[in-house]
Amino acid sequence: EGLEHIIQKVFYSVFKREDSNDVRIATFDVFEALLNVDDGIPPPPPSTMNMLKTNNPTTGIVTRPFADCFKRASQNTKSNATIRGKSLRLLGKLACAYPLHMEEEATNVLQFCLDRLFKSTGSTLKESKVEFCGSLDSLRYLFEHYSHLLFHQEDEEDEENEEENEQKKKMKMQQRQQLYNVSFRESIIRLQEMTRYQIPEASLLFIASHGHLFKEQIINDGLILFRRLCRCFICKPKRIHQAAVGAAKKIINMLSSYISITTNENELNEEEEEEEKKRKTYYTTLCNYMNDLMKYGSNASFLIHEDATDGTTPMSANDVGVRSIDRKCHELAILGFGSLAGSIYKYEGVD
């Protein structure tokens, strides 16, 4: 049955029967290495992962030992918070590695993660950071195949009941907005108050992977969001900077695509004219930001002055003029100008 069969059964048994939290937590490294979803290598074939799905020949009952076990662990309020967080993350990885086998569980995994994230705000965020990060990581993997669960999928019943259909749509919109608020704002601000950085790192990785699911919010908050991400990109902690590179690329590319939309100015109605003005404002402001980053580095005016709408604070005086931070400012400016190439061509007529 292969080495995978032996590994999963042994460590599954250890996780279920061991009393020591430290030992149980250590088994997650084995499970994640077995799934191997982060290295671009296909996970073991389902035929060798017999703990994904088992059939009782006597009763005919089908069980899913892995999913059932880690679902229970993720919701057990008496268990260790680290175990709950890592269980959520592993459920997302299982859905990423074996989407067909996790199809019936995907909705539950989504709801588990959203419930945890929406409760882990404000004063409780630091206390529940392991579960918060586990939830965001889980969604990052889950949405590789199940991002449609964030949106309402109409069926025949919805067509017959318009009022109920609208309520379902509204609920999904509220979920997306809450998830946006948590991952694009609350978890990536006030970096200087943090002593550990798992939360902003998890959020930035999520943004890099699935920012496109929040297109409407990103377009509405474009400049504010850029300034937030800029703080993450140029900050001293290495793990935040590294995670912010992909997030910044994603957001700048999305804004550039929006700005680059071409219109016939002679045929625009009033609403379309306002939208084109907004695109031009975004273009001009972003270019000014990039020029300031390139010319002044950490002394760029939008970095050293507070803007309440961003939810950020000014650069620390100790960080202004630091060579490594200035270098990151230049790196971001180059990345930004590259992503804005299409917009530059639209407004300046040059490549």
Side-chain angles (χ1 to χ4, degrees):
E1 292 182 316
L3 188 59
E4 293 92 350
H5 166 72
I6 298 171
I7 293 172
Q8 66 185 296
K9 287 204 91 172
V10 168
F11 284 92
Y12 174 77
S13 178
V14 170
F15 179 80
K16 289 195 71 174
R17 298 176 184 177
E18 179 60 53
D19 292 328
S20 167
N21 282 330
D22 289 341
V23 174
R24 298 183 78 205
I25 289 168
T27 63
F28 285 98
D29 292 335
V30 178
F31 293 135
E32 293 198 10
L34 190 63
L35 295 177
N36 205 32
V37 297
D38 291 315
D39 297 330
I41 302 171
S47 59
T48 67
M49 296 289 287
N50 67 316
M51 302 303 284
L52 284 172
K53 182 179 179 181
T54 61
N55 297 280
N56 187 316
T58 304
T59 63
I61 296 175
V62 175
T63 59
R64 293 176 172 79
F66 267 159
D68 292 342
C69 173
F70 294 112
K71 274 168 37 184
R72 288 193 298 270
S74 73
Q75 301 305 298
N76 185 354
T77 55
K78 294 181 180 179
S79 80
N80 181 283
T82 300
I83 290 176
R84 291 197 298 270
K86 285 183 174 288
S87 294
L88 288 167
R89 175 183 164 96
L90 188 61
L91 287 168
K93 285 200 166 190
L94 282 168
C96 181
Y98 303 106
L100 295 180
H101 288 77
M102 289 291 288
E103 187 172 7
E104 294 180 17
E105 302 295 344
T107 301
N108 288 329
V109 176
L110 172 65
Q111 198 57 54
F112 291 164
C113 293
L114 294 182
D115 287 347
R116 184 67 267 171
L117 289 170
F118 298 163
K119 290 175 183 175
S120 302
T121 56
S123 60
T124 66
L125 194 58
K126 291 181 180 179
E127 298 169 13
S128 54
K129 60 178 176 289
V130 179
E131 291 171 86
F132 182 97
C133 295
S135 298
L136 264 182
D137 284 343
S138 182
L139 293 182
R140 176 159 57 92
Y141 294 114
L142 180 72
F143 288 164
E144 288 299 316
H145 299 288
Y146 291 104
S147 62
H148 62 274
L149 294 178
L150 264 187
F151 302 84
H152 175 49
Q153 309 295 312
E154 293 189 14
D155 54 28
E156 291 182 4
E157 290 184 10
D158 291 327
E159 293 176 5
E160 295 172 3
N161 192 329
E162 187 174 339
E163 183 177 347
E164 186 176 335
N165 186 36
E166 287 303 313
Q167 288 177 344
K168 290 179 180 178
K169 283 184 180 178
K170 186 176 181 181
M171 185 190 74
K172 287 295 183 182
M173 289 175 62
Q174 289 174 338
Q175 278 187 345
R176 289 199 304 278
Q177 186 61 50
Q178 282 183 277
L179 183 54
Y180 175 82
N181 290 342
V182 168
S183 52
F184 287 70
R185 177 184 167 85
E186 293 173 17
S187 55
I188 60 172
I189 60 175
R190 296 188 290 273
L191 300 178
Q192 62 270 45
E193 298 174 15
M194 298 180 183
T195 55
R196 304 185 73 178
Y197 305 105
Q198 298 99 318
I199 289 176
E201 180 184 35
S203 293
L204 292 165
L205 291 173
F206 177 77
I207 292 170
S209 296
H210 301 295
H212 56 278
L213 300 177
F214 306 88
K215 181 178 178 181
E216 182 180 349
Q217 291 91 338
I218 287 170
I219 297 305
N220 286 338
D221 289 348
L223 299 177
I224 294 172
L225 185 55
F226 173 80
R227 292 193 293 267
R228 279 186 210 139
L229 287 174
C230 185
R231 296 292 206 291
C232 297
F233 192 103
I234 67 173
C235 71
K236 283 181 178 177
K238 186 176 180 180
R239 63 190 300 176
I240 298 182
H241 166 71
Q242 289 176 333
V245 173
K249 285 181 180 178
K250 171 71 81 172
I251 298 307
I252 298 172
N253 283 338
M254 289 181 67
L255 292 177
S256 182
S257 295
Y258 165 72
I259 295 169
S260 299
I261 295 172
T262 56
T263 56
N264 186 336
E265 294 183 3
N266 297 322
E267 298 178 3
L268 299 181
N269 59 36
E270 187 174 340
E271 184 178 343
E272 291 169 336
E273 285 182 0
E274 287 301 314
E275 199 65 24
E276 179 55 32
K277 287 180 182 177
K278 180 179 177 180
R279 284 193 280 266
K280 183 64 179 291
T281 299
Y282 273 23
Y283 168 73
T284 303
T285 306
L286 284 172
C287 283
N288 287 338
Y289 286 161
M290 303 308 172
N291 280 321
D292 281 357
L293 287 170
M294 185 63 77
K295 187 174 182 179
Y296 301 112
S298 54
N299 269 300
S301 58
F302 75 94
L303 292 178
I304 59 178
H305 294 107
E306 183 170 6
D307 190 327
T309 58
D310 299 4
T312 57
T313 52
M315 286 275 291
S316 167
N318 294 330
D319 293 339
V320 176
V322 175
R323 183 176 299 178
S324 62
I325 293 180
D326 284 342
R327 187 164 57 246
K328 291 174 184 175
C329 290
H330 300 155
E331 180 186 347
L332 179 57
I334 292 169
L335 185 157
F337 277 130
S339 297
L340 289 170
S343 305
I344 294 171
Y345 181 78
K346 173 184 175 180
Y347 289 108
E348 313 294 343
V350 294
D351 293 321

